[in-house]
């Protein structure tokens, strides 16, 4: 599709194409920036790029989704306040050059079907897709992990969102029909097979909260504060990843309430991910579902990143036959819930939760049944 659009717009064949998916996180929320564990998978929705070289240093970038075009020189790449959609690509160009990959001007078209501002990492799919595009176009060597770090750098430093590495990693290295078990400290990972007997049903609350980014930053800081307080209690740790549940509870009375609850979520969530991986590997889907449910409760009560809409979607899903587990996914304050559902019940759950939510809240949420899919560099 993107190939064709490029031909129509620029009257020539593209020299390179790339594709990077969005992701949904099954469990391990707000753990990545605490050096912890996550278990996401790429979804069958992606951003695609097509382009060719120019002989100068100008990049002409066209967004199919926004039906808009920008031009900039690789010699000085400013943040674009008007066409904010272009900043993910700009950031990637800037840091590729900074890290020693000489680029050339190019005409590039991109677009896709990852729902935006829905907690499904459309931005990571643009960043990883952009890195993949340049690597294919110019053929320079770049190990996947370095490409992932660079994509994250574009998000953190150019766009200015202090997120962890989960989204870019999932977009790059997920594998079809598998979940990706990632240790965000040393970036070691393993693909864990997902049973063919279950489906991932996702409901989109449709809520896009401005609060999401500022509250995300607050959570990052609160975790750092919790670490500092625990360190002053003579706990030799670098991050919340290093904290054992018993060590935390032993010091509970000496932490302030917010620090304690934020730490409790992260510490227990890391345990849940480890247990969830084990459950998946042993085919214990009910146990996996129960861990998802517990994750939601912890995010709601201790981490305080859920919302009434997300809670309603979770509640409605849990009352449906065939639902193994239901929880919010992504940063929170809106976005989506993810549900693990027996395959034969998936269609009914998909429809019933939408109907009941519409009855309760007056609008029908978008929903998706996603396939766990290959990342941009699956197999590398
Ligand atoms: C967002 C961030 C991720 C991660 C999640 C919460 O998706 O981009 O790095 O922190 O929130 O788990």
């Amino acid at each position: 599709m993107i190939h064709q659009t490029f031909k129509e717009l620029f009257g020539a064949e593209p020299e390179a194409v790339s594709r990077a998916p969005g992701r949904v996180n099954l469990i391990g929320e707000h753990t990545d920036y605490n050096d912890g564990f996550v278990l996401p998978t790429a979804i069958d929705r992606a951003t695609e790029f097509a382009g060719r070289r120019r002989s100068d240093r100008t990049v002409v970038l066209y967004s199919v989704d926004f039906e808009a075009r920008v031009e900039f020189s690789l010699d000085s790449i400013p943040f674009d306040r008007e066409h904010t959609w272009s900043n993910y690509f700009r950031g990637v160009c800037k840091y590729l050059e900074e890290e020693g990959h000489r680029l050339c001007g190019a005409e590039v078209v991109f677009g896709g079907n990852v729902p935006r501002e829905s907690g499904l990492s459309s931005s990571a799919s643009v960043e990883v897709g952009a890195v993949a595009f340049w690597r294919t176009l110019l053929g320079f060597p770049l190990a996947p992990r370095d490409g992932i770090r660079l994509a994250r750098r574009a998000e953190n430093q150019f766009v200015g969102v202090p997120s962890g590495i989960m989204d870019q990693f999932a977009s790059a290295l997920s594998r079809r029909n598998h979940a990706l078990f990632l240790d965000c400290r040393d970036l070691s990972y393993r693909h864990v097979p997902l049973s063919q007997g279950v489906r991932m049903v996702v409901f989109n609350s449709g809520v896009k909260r401005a609060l999401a980014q500022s509250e995300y930053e607050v959570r990052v800081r609160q975790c750092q504060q919790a670490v500092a307080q625990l360190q002053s209690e003579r706990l030799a740790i670098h991050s919340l990843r290093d904290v054992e549940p018993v060590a935390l509870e032993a010091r509970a009375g000496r932490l302030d309430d917010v620090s304690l609850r934020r730490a409790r979520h992260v510490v227990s969530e890391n345990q849940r991910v480890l247990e969830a991986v084990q459950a998946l590997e042993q085919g214990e889907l009910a146990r996996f579902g129960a861990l998802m449910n517990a994750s939601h409760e912890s995010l709601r009560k201790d981490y305080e990143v859920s919302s009434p809409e997300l809670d309603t979607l979770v509640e409605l899903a849990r009352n449906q036959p065939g639902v193994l587990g239901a929880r919010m996914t992504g940063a929170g304050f809106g976005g989506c819930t993810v549900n693990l559902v027996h395959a034969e019940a998936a269609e009914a759950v998909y429809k019933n939760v939408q109907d009941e939510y519409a009855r309760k809240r007056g609008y029908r949420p978008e929903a998706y049944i996603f396939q766990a899919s290959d990342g941009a560099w699956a197999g590398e």
Side-chain angles (χ1 to χ4, degrees):
M1 160 280 205
I2 205 72
H3 190 117
Q4 196 51 36
T5 314
F6 183 86
K7 265 172 82 173
E8 283 161 22
L9 281 165
F10 292 100
E13 291 287 332
E15 284 176 63
V17 293
S18 71
R19 181 175 194 283
R23 66 99 189 89
V24 65
N25 189 18
L26 290 173
I27 195 162
E29 218 65 85
H30 289 278
T31 46
D32 62 351
Y33 53 85
N34 289 300
D35 280 352
F37 304 110
V38 292
L39 191 71
T41 179
I43 57 176
D44 46 339
R45 298 283 192 110
T47 304
E48 297 179 318
F49 289 78
R52 66 169 176 181
R53 277 173 276 208
R54 288 166 58 106
S55 53
D56 58 9
R57 296 267 296 160
T58 300
V59 171
V60 179
L61 179 66
Y62 183 82
S63 161
V64 177
D65 304 330
F66 289 89
E67 296 181 17
R69 141 194 191 124
V70 296
E71 260 188 57
F72 60 91
S73 163
L74 290 167
D75 294 325
S76 142
I77 308 179
F79 185 87
D80 189 332
R81 280 179 205 292
E82 187 187 345
H83 301 285
T84 48
W85 55 265
S86 72
N87 287 318
Y88 308 97
F89 193 85
R90 286 167 185 265
V92 165
C93 296
K94 182 171 165 132
Y95 300 135
L96 276 172
E97 286 239 317
E98 233 179 76
E99 295 183 19
H101 304 285
R102 175 90 178 158
L103 307 182
C104 65
E107 286 155 348
V108 187
V109 171
F110 79 105
N113 58 1
V114 186
R116 273 193 304 273
E117 294 177 74
S118 301
L120 298 171
S121 296
S122 62
S123 60
S125 79
V126 175
E127 291 147 2
V128 172
V131 175
F133 168 76
W134 283 114
R135 198 175 75 145
T136 306
L137 183 73
L138 301 176
F140 50 72
L142 181 67
R145 277 189 184 79
D146 294 330
I148 291 165
R149 280 199 195 92
L150 196 137
R152 179 191 178 190
R153 192 176 165 208
E155 178 84 34
N156 291 170
Q157 293 176 24
F158 200 85
V159 180
V161 179
S163 54
I165 201 160
M166 167 171 70
D167 306 346
Q168 290 80 9
F169 215 101
S171 177
L173 287 175
S174 290
R175 184 185 292 171
R176 193 163 172 265
N177 295 333
H178 288 72
L180 175 83
F181 171 41
L182 171 67
D183 179 338
C184 298
R185 168 165 278 168
D186 65 9
L187 301 188
S188 60
Y189 65 96
R190 189 162 93 228
H191 295 111
V192 187
L194 279 171
S195 154
Q196 291 304 296
V198 291
R199 296 283 178 274
M200 295 182 294
V201 184
V202 169
F203 296 102
N204 191 340
S205 70
V207 179
K208 298 170 185 177
R209 293 251 169 98
L211 200 67
Q213 195 181 329
S214 57
E215 282 297 317
Y216 187 92
E217 291 174 18
V218 169
R219 293 300 176 282
V220 173
R221 254 183 286 124
Q222 287 171 335
C223 288
Q224 291 161 353
Q225 244 160 43
V227 169
Q229 288 184 23
L230 287 164
Q231 283 168 336
S232 73
E233 291 298 328
R234 291 199 311 278
L235 205 54
I237 54 164
H238 292 288
S239 66
L240 289 178
R241 152 71 178 276
D242 303 314
V243 181
E244 295 290 333
V246 282
L248 179 65
E249 293 311 323
R251 290 160 180 82
R254 299 198 290 282
L255 299 189
D256 73 68
D257 178 56
V258 169
S259 297
L260 176 62
R261 285 187 299 127
R262 302 302 185 249
R264 244 185 210 146
H265 165 71
V266 174
V267 170
S268 64
E269 185 79 350
N270 276 329
Q271 300 288 321
R272 279 188 290 272
V273 177
L274 297 177
E275 217 187 301
V277 169
Q278 214 180 54
L280 211 53
E281 285 175 336
Q282 295 169 355
E284 294 175 22
L285 294 172
R287 188 166 139 225
F288 189 92
L291 290 160
M292 290 174 76
N293 292 343
S295 167
H296 184 79
E297 293 321 305
S298 175
L299 287 158
R300 183 171 72 80
K301 289 201 212 124
D302 281 338
Y303 219 64
E304 296 180 286
V305 291
S306 190
S307 70
E309 295 84 358
L310 292 169
D311 292 342
T312 303
L313 285 168
V314 161
E315 239 168 71
L316 292 175
R318 284 187 192 158
N319 291 332
Q320 292 289 319
V323 173
L324 291 153
R327 58 181 288 275
M328 55 154 278
T329 185
F333 302 104
C336 290
T337 63
V338 59
N339 306 268
L340 199 69
V341 183
H342 283 299
E344 61 281 4
E347 288 292 340
V349 170
Y350 174 93
K351 186 175 171 301
N352 293 346
V353 170
Q354 282 181 308
D355 288 349
E356 286 180 26
Y357 191 87
R359 226 172 290 136
K360 233 178 155 146
R361 292 208 164 245
Y363 70 93
R364 208 177 162 75
E366 261 191 40
Y368 326 94
I369 301 181
F370 288 135
Q371 280 286 329
S373 300
D374 277 340
W377 295 313
E380 280 193 34

